[in-house]
Amino acid sequence: MIRMYVVCEGQSEETFVRDVIAPIFVNQQIFLTARLITTSKGHKGGALSYQRVRKFIFNCLKEETDTLITTFFDLYALGNDFPLFDESRKITDVFQRVSQLESGFKLDITSENKLYEDRFFPYIQPYEFEALLFSDIEKLIELESDWKSAFKKLQAVRESFSTPEHINDSYETKPSARLKTTLTKPSYRKIRHGSLAIQSIGIDKLCEQCQHFAEWYTKLNKLRRSD
């Protein structure tokens, strides 16, 4: 049996891990638990400074010495105090950029204790969790009957990028902003619709369309075999 904590940025990622990812791995005796970081009194998720993240991860690693730790953070609005953040900004390829950020993140955590190397592997999603929903626009708009009219607009967005994970990261054009402005009747609600859409789209389609997500998912799949 393998136990893993998935430290999530917000409630959308937490719901996704709990309702979609975790059930897939139960039969493999891999038990995933989503955890949110307390950001202020009575509140969890969002506004993640690196020092807060670092402290939380160390506490998780020390809490149970055989539990693995991964993360599910968005590249968009990632704290500029994360390791190698400034260096990563110079990289135009989004996959290379997140790879460098993840490497710097892992190195910083494991430099405190080499025993953490086999227990911690960070994951940063380009550019947002909502990018995954662009893997299959038809499945996404099926969630609400009145969303059908939004198909052409959202499909045009998808076709203008090589993959969903390349949909860019400005405030107006990040994936979540595009969904919020296009899916209005009823309004797109990220916590409710996010996981429902992915359940409909299916993990196989996500992995086919989203290279970086697929690498993380494959790594989870290999855990039991290497145990």
Side-chain angles (χ1 to χ4, degrees):
M1 180 182 79
I2 293 174
R3 294 190 62 200
M4 171 175 282
Y5 293 142
V6 185
V7 182
C8 298
E9 177 170 331
Q11 290 182 318
S12 296
E13 293 84 359
E14 179 191 33
T15 302
F16 169 59
V17 171
R18 184 193 66 214
D19 295 349
V20 181
I21 295 292
I24 292 173
F25 290 102
V26 168
N27 290 335
Q28 299 181 47
Q29 293 293 295
I30 301 173
F31 297 93
L32 306 182
T33 302
R35 284 192 158 189
L36 288 177
I37 301 172
T38 300
T39 52
S40 59
K41 189 175 182 179
H43 296 279
K44 293 183 177 182
L48 298 178
S49 72
Y50 183 66
Q51 290 307 309
R52 183 177 283 127
V53 168
R54 193 173 191 270
K55 180 179 179 181
F56 187 86
I57 288 173
F58 279 136
N59 287 341
C60 289
L61 287 164
K62 294 172 183 176
E63 186 178 313
E64 297 182 30
T65 57
D66 60 347
T67 300
L68 306 182
I69 313 292
T70 188
T71 62
F72 202 117
F73 299 157
D74 289 345
L75 175 59
Y76 176 78
L78 190 73
N80 60 12
D81 55 345
F82 269 70
L84 299 181
F85 182 86
D86 289 338
E87 292 86 342
S88 75
R89 297 275 291 180
K90 302 171 186 176
I91 301 173
T92 56
D93 182 89
V94 69
F95 297 135
Q96 292 179 17
R97 184 180 174 192
V98 291
S99 179
Q100 183 173 49
L101 286 165
E102 290 168 351
S103 295
F105 191 0
K106 184 178 177 83
L107 180 62
D108 182 61
I109 296 297
T110 58
S111 64
E112 293 288 320
N113 188 331
K114 294 300 181 183
L115 295 176
Y116 295 159
E117 288 187 0
D118 294 331
R119 296 180 54 210
F120 175 67
F121 59 95
Y123 175 69
I124 297 172
Q125 174 63 48
Y127 281 95
E128 283 189 305
F129 164 76
E130 284 79 11
L132 301 176
L133 277 58
F134 282 82
S135 296
D136 192 328
I137 302 301
E138 288 188 0
K139 293 294 185 182
L140 170 62
I141 63 170
E142 285 176 359
L143 294 181
E144 302 287 354
S145 58
D146 290 337
W147 283 0
K148 292 181 180 179
S149 60
F151 175 78
K152 288 185 178 179
K153 185 173 182 178
L154 291 176
Q155 187 65 23
V157 171
R158 170 64 189 90
E159 291 175 357
S160 65
F161 293 91
S162 56
T163 78
E165 292 179 316
H166 284 86
I167 297 176
N168 57 9
D169 64 343
S170 76
Y171 182 78
E172 296 84 7
T173 59
K174 60 186 179 180
S176 61
R178 294 177 187 270
L179 294 176
K180 187 175 180 179
T181 57
T182 306
L183 303 175
T184 57
K185 296 180 179 180
S187 298
Y188 169 74
R189 293 164 54 195
K190 59 190 302 182
I191 297 174
R192 167 178 164 73
H193 292 117
S195 289
L196 288 175
I198 291 177
Q199 286 175 321
S200 180
I201 293 168
I203 292 296
D204 289 344
K205 186 72 170 182
L206 257 62
C207 289
E208 174 190 308
Q209 294 282 316
C210 302
Q211 174 184 322
H212 196 62
F213 174 83
E215 290 171 356
W216 179 68
Y217 183 76
T218 299
K219 191 174 292 185
L220 294 182
N221 261 305
K222 290 180 177 179
L223 289 175
R224 187 61 187 170
R225 280 172 272 171
S226 61
D227 181 33

